[in-house]
Amino acid sequence: MTENSNVIVVGGGYAGVMAANRLTQRDDVTVTLINPRSTFVHRVRLHQLVGGSDDAVVDYREVLAEDVRLVVDSVTRIDAAERSVTLATGGTVGYDHLIYAVGSGSADPGVPGAAEFAYPIAGLEEAQRLRPVLDAASAKAPVTVVGAGPTGIETAAELAEAGRAVTLVCGGVLGPYLHPRGRRSVARRMAELGVTVLEGPGAKVTAVTRDAVRLGDGRTLPSEVTIWTAGFAVPDLAARSGLSTDALGRLLTDETLTSVDDPRIVAAGDSAAPSGLPLRMSCQAAIPLGARAADTVLSRIAGEQPSTLNQFFAGQCISLGRDAAIFQFAHRYDVAVWFHIDGRPGARLKEFVCKGIVKHLVDESRKPGSFRLHRVSGGAKRQELLRAGRGEAVATAAGTADGDIPATAAGRTPATVEHVA
């Protein structure tokens, strides 16, 4: 008879829920999920919450296995030596293994006035705070969305489709991940919706005031509501706990997602930096990473050698209002290719993907161990970069043919990456 193992999962997002559900396939494993909210945030729908077409939450009873104990609290410190975590409400919880899946949130804009006058939407409470502000603004009030990754594009399109006067400030190019063909398609759709798109080096925000946005080229844009989508950051829990992190605070791990400091701590999702080459922040990466993290823990409990990371990407899905979207296909190593699906077919595909995300979690909760996408072949480019020992330089060369650096290899930072399905 094997001894029971207590596993704590810190964070109840896409990666954390997948990991917690998957761990329940062993009867001798007790799983506790610690999360600051009592509901699961379907983060890829936050722009819909802002636009009023979805609440972006799902009851944990729908996506979490019955055998997982949910503790609604925040972890303030991980004590690796004592194998325990300290909770914000007081007390500690011990563990035999811990999965670190704290995700990411809004980054400090670093622009004068932005923290005071702009509205970030990387988290549920932030999006909920913005919703009544938009409701109170007149229909003709100028709205500025800062950041032209998927979150910025989706938010701008959602609001423009609802009749808002929206300006999208790119700070560079529209949709930097997209292939030029896909970028042109998105630009056409934005024009149809009446969104004013400002691109180029001069279209960088240098200051935000209560009723305006100032750009690097000297322009001042009237803005009654300014929405900030440019950048994500990870919580500092790992660093505060004395664990090794990369420069942005992601937990450093090996290719099995095991912390370089402690074999009993495994990371998954946006807050993981395997081999110092973190994957693109997205639920597309988070769910397979959650499955891989759980498999690593289960292998260790069984006394087996864990398998290494084998991540692949399909592309990027961006909604453009309720009636259109684009699915930008990509190489498995996350560089966009010429092919995409847009318009109404794209919208149907996007909705299928969003529903499919929840279905993956539900299926794993009912039949733990059933998820298989993290085992699909696709990690050859990553292994090449690891062998080369100079990841970013090689990644840059690999990405130039399609005009984008593969995020899986180059390790895009939270300041340049977006969450997508």
Side-chain angles (χ1 to χ4, degrees), residues 28 56 91 104 129 138 159 162 172 178 196 205 226 252 285 289 308 349 378 391 406:
D28 59 348
S104 62
R129 183 168 67 96
S138 68
L159 296 178
L178 300 171
T196 299
V205 177
T226 300
L252 285 175
L289 286 172
T308 56
L349 182 54

Side-chain angles (χ1 to χ4, degrees), residues 122-392:
L124 177 65
E125 291 78 13
E126 292 169 338
Q128 289 174 332
R129 183 168 67 96
L130 173 59
R131 179 67 248 170
V133 173
L134 285 166
D135 288 342
S138 68
K140 295 183 179 180
V143 176
T144 302
V145 177
V146 181
T151 302
I153 292 171
E154 290 185 325
T155 303
E158 200 82 18
L159 296 178
E161 190 176 66
R164 294 285 181 182
V166 181
T167 298
L168 179 62
V169 180
C170 298
V173 299
L174 176 68
Y177 179 95
L178 300 171
H179 186 276
R181 289 171 61 114
R183 188 172 296 120
R184 287 193 292 272
S185 174
V186 171
R188 285 194 297 270
R189 173 61 178 169
M190 299 304 262
E192 290 171 2
L193 292 170
V195 177
T196 299
V197 177
L198 302 181
E199 297 183 87
K204 290 186 177 181
V205 177
T206 57
V208 179
T209 65
R210 189 179 302 278
D211 56 7
V213 169
R214 286 198 285 272
L215 304 183
D217 60 8
R219 284 177 289 179
T220 297
L221 310 176
S223 182
E224 188 167 323
V225 181
T226 300
I227 304 171
W228 198 276
T229 72
F232 294 96
V234 299
D236 65 350
L237 175 60
R240 282 190 284 111
S241 301
L243 298 170
S244 297
T245 66
D246 68 4
L248 297 164
R250 292 171 288 208
L251 185 68
L252 285 175
T253 76
D254 63 15
E255 287 295 286
T256 70
L257 300 181
T258 303
S259 166
V260 298
D261 301 310
D262 190 328
R264 292 178 178 267
I265 297 177
V266 178
D270 291 354
S271 54
S275 303
L277 293 176
L279 304 174
R280 170 161 57 90
M281 288 182 174
S282 64
C283 66
Q284 187 176 175
I287 289 177
L289 286 172
R292 176 62 64 197
D295 286 357
T296 291
V297 170
L298 292 173
S299 293
R300 289 229 159 77
I301 291 172
E304 301 169 352
Q305 178 62 37
S307 299
T308 56
L309 189 63
N310 186 35
Q311 182 77 33
F312 83 97
F313 285 82
Q316 193 174 84
C317 216
I318 305 174
S319 65
L320 301 167
R322 296 299 84 214
D323 296 327
I326 182 171
F327 191 103
Q328 169 66 73
F329 287 85
H331 293 292
R332 290 191 175 194
Y333 51 84
D334 209 21
V335 171
V337 299
W338 66 271
F339 183 62
H340 66 267
I341 297 174
D342 57 12
R344 288 185 180 274
R348 289 193 291 270
L349 182 54
K350 167 70 172 180
E351 184 60 22
F352 174 80
V353 168
C354 288
K355 290 180 178 178
I357 293 167
V358 174
K359 186 176 186 301
H360 280 314
L361 301 178
V362 171
D363 289 349
E364 190 70 16
S365 73
R366 295 173 180 172
K367 189 179 179 181
S370 61
F371 184 80
R372 290 287 187 271
L373 289 181
H374 65 307
R375 296 176 179 171
V376 175
S377 176
K381 176 63 69 174
R382 181 177 181 84
Q383 293 306 313
E384 176 187 326
L385 294 168
L386 290 172
R387 286 193 299 270
R390 51 189 180 89
E392 189 163 358

